[in-house]
Amino acid sequence: MTELPLVERLRLLPDPRRRRGVRHPFVAVLLAVVAGARSYAAIGQWAASAPQHALARLGARAMGAMGVRVAPSSATIRRVVGLACPGGLADLTGADPTGADSLAVDGKAARGSRHGTSPAAHLLAAMTGDGRTVTQLRVPGKTNEITCFTALLEPYDLAGVTVTADFLHTQRGHVRFLVKEKKAHYLLVVKANRPELHHRLRKLPWKDVTARRYDREIGHGRRETRATRALTVTGLGLDFPHAAQAVRILRHRTDLATGAVSRQTVYAITNLTSQQASPERLGRLTRSQWTIENRLHFVRDTAFAEDASKVRTGHGPDNMATLRNLAINTLRAAGHRNIAAGLRHTSCEPLTRPLDLLGIA
């Protein structure tokens, strides 16, 4: 599906108003988001300002004998975004994870979507280690992320991909799904929500481990040192499906402004053997799980002000988050490492540069 041009993929999305595909509203919405639009009002203003040549490139409807192109109205945009199937939109616009080294799964609440007694939309996303968002889905209000893990990943070919996730997803069912059904690998964080497994990991002979890796870096106002140790656990009675290695990461952080020092120990477990994953690779895989916070959730909140967004009704919160994901993917593919800078670049020519970025002729 991802080999089709974006416009053709979006045409396949069922329009909840009629028995045919959406013609241009979602393309217009996406282009406005790439240009920096954060609300329905801003998207409607972008569409209303679009010149005829831009509307022609979008395939907007032509009216009258003169063939004047008509932009989608703000009401149409609001209605389509609020009603369209969020799962279909996420699947049609996401990256293909086939062949990726790793895939991180993590959730985020869109805090601004809370309305009255309705909780904020909680969105579970998957992102490759190189920063491409694959898909996301909204967690139903009376459940949690655990129930959505397999549904999120089921459509994709994950053979050979290492899936990482935080402690909430350290579940036997998840592991069997990944290894048996998807032919994938896993690296999962273990915390006190699995007390027996966590206790066993803590009691392993870490002082005797010779497979170690040290990493040091400075950034975000702090200096950090990470010591990664890996231990083969086959036959040690951990009682966790397909477990091959345990990982301990000791993180020392120094705040460069205040001098405050913090220390954190993280344990993880994986089915990757010592031949498949050295401490260096295991440390990198663990970092890819932490990176989804910085390269997706943090970016959506800072560059797009997602937590302040007042889009609340219907599927609006999840569909807008999906379009932000696609905008981030598009900007990264164009070479913009800083998404805020990329948005400023497109906003200089908001009615042409987004079309060029998306290859809309």
Side-chain angles (χ1 to χ4, degrees):
M1 188 69 68
T2 54
E3 65 272 9
L4 290 175
L6 177 65
V7 175
E8 296 303 318
R9 277 183 273 154
L10 290 178
R11 290 185 194 278
L12 300 175
L13 186 67
D15 188 328
R17 301 165 301 164
R18 300 180 298 273
R19 297 185 62 185
R20 62 182 179 183
V22 174
R23 290 195 172 180
H24 62 252
F26 262 118
V27 180
V29 171
L30 172 60
L31 292 168
V33 173
V34 173
R38 299 177 176 180
S39 65
Y40 289 144
I43 295 168
Q45 185 176 0
W46 183 94
S49 302
Q52 285 293 298
H53 67 84
L55 293 175
R57 291 172 69 178
L58 283 174
R61 186 170 71 253
M63 299 287 288
M66 300 296 292
V68 176
R69 301 282 180 170
V70 180
S73 66
S74 295
T76 296
I77 290 171
R78 181 187 297 270
R79 188 163 58 251
V80 172
V81 173
L83 292 175
C85 172
L89 181 64
D91 289 345
L92 289 169
T93 58
D96 185 356
T98 303
D101 180 59
S102 64
L103 185 71
V105 175
D106 197 26
K108 177 189 182 298
R111 293 182 177 86
S113 62
R114 182 175 182 178
H115 184 62
T117 58
S118 300
H122 192 87
L123 306 170
L124 185 65
M127 189 183 77
T128 62
D130 58 359
R132 295 174 295 128
T133 302
V134 173
T135 189
Q136 74 172 17
L137 58 77
R138 185 170 180 171
V139 178
K142 294 185 178 181
T143 62
N144 58 33
E145 291 182 19
I146 297 174
T147 62
C148 299
F149 184 87
T150 56
L152 182 78
L153 302 180
E154 180 61 44
Y156 300 99
D157 178 7
L158 300 178
V161 178
T162 300
V163 176
T164 66
D166 64 18
F167 67 96
L168 191 65
H169 297 289
T170 306
Q171 306 288 333
R172 295 175 181 273
H174 291 2
V175 166
R176 294 190 182 100
F177 164 75
L178 290 173
V179 177
K180 293 294 188 181
E181 295 185 32
K182 307 306 290 184
K183 311 302 179 187
H185 301 293
Y186 68 84
L187 188 147
L188 301 173
V189 174
V190 179
K191 289 190 177 180
N193 66 316
R194 298 196 65 87
E196 184 175 349
L197 180 59
H198 187 254
H199 176 75
R200 287 178 178 271
L201 290 177
R202 290 180 59 195
K203 294 300 182 181
L204 290 174
W206 294 109
K207 292 183 179 180
D208 301 329
V209 173
T210 57
R212 307 179 184 182
R213 167 75 180 187
Y214 294 92
D215 295 284
R216 296 175 177 84
E217 64 180 33
I218 296 178
H220 304 287
R222 63 175 181 258
R223 180 172 60 248
E224 180 172 297
T225 300
R226 296 182 300 276
T228 303
R229 302 189 183 194
L231 176 65
T232 297
V233 295
T234 305
L236 294 185
L238 283 185
D239 190 29
F240 196 74
H242 309 288
Q245 287 193 94
V247 186
R248 189 185 79 167
I249 301 175
L250 184 60
R251 303 165 68 186
H252 290 269
R253 287 180 174 176
T254 302
D255 188 299
L256 297 179
T258 66
V261 178
S262 62
R263 173 175 170 170
Q264 180 185 28
T265 302
V266 177
Y267 294 96
I269 196 163
T270 180
N271 68 323
L272 291 165
T273 65
S274 58
Q275 290 75 31
Q276 294 172 312
S278 64
E280 178 182 6
R281 187 184 178 206
L282 292 170
R284 187 171 65 251
L285 288 168
T286 306
R287 287 287 290 172
S288 73
Q289 174 60 33
W290 298 331
T291 299
I292 190 173
E293 291 283 348
N294 296 327
R295 301 196 71 186
L296 182 63
H297 298 156
F298 180 77
V299 171
R300 287 212 316 248
D301 192 32
T302 55
F304 294 97
E306 182 169 89
D307 281 351
S309 172
K310 299 304 180 183
V311 176
R312 295 168 173 167
T313 57
H315 298 308
D318 19 346
N319 283 333
M320 284 299 295
T322 292
L323 293 170
R324 295 179 190 120
N325 293 343
L326 180 53
I328 293 169
N329 283 359
T330 301
L331 291 167
R332 286 211 174 105
H336 294 284
R337 297 184 64 183
N338 184 307
I339 300 303
L343 289 172
R344 289 194 295 271
H345 175 78
T346 57
S347 67
C348 292
E349 296 181 22
L351 300 173
T352 55
R353 285 184 179 175
L355 286 89
D356 295 337
L357 278 175
L358 291 165
I360 299 176

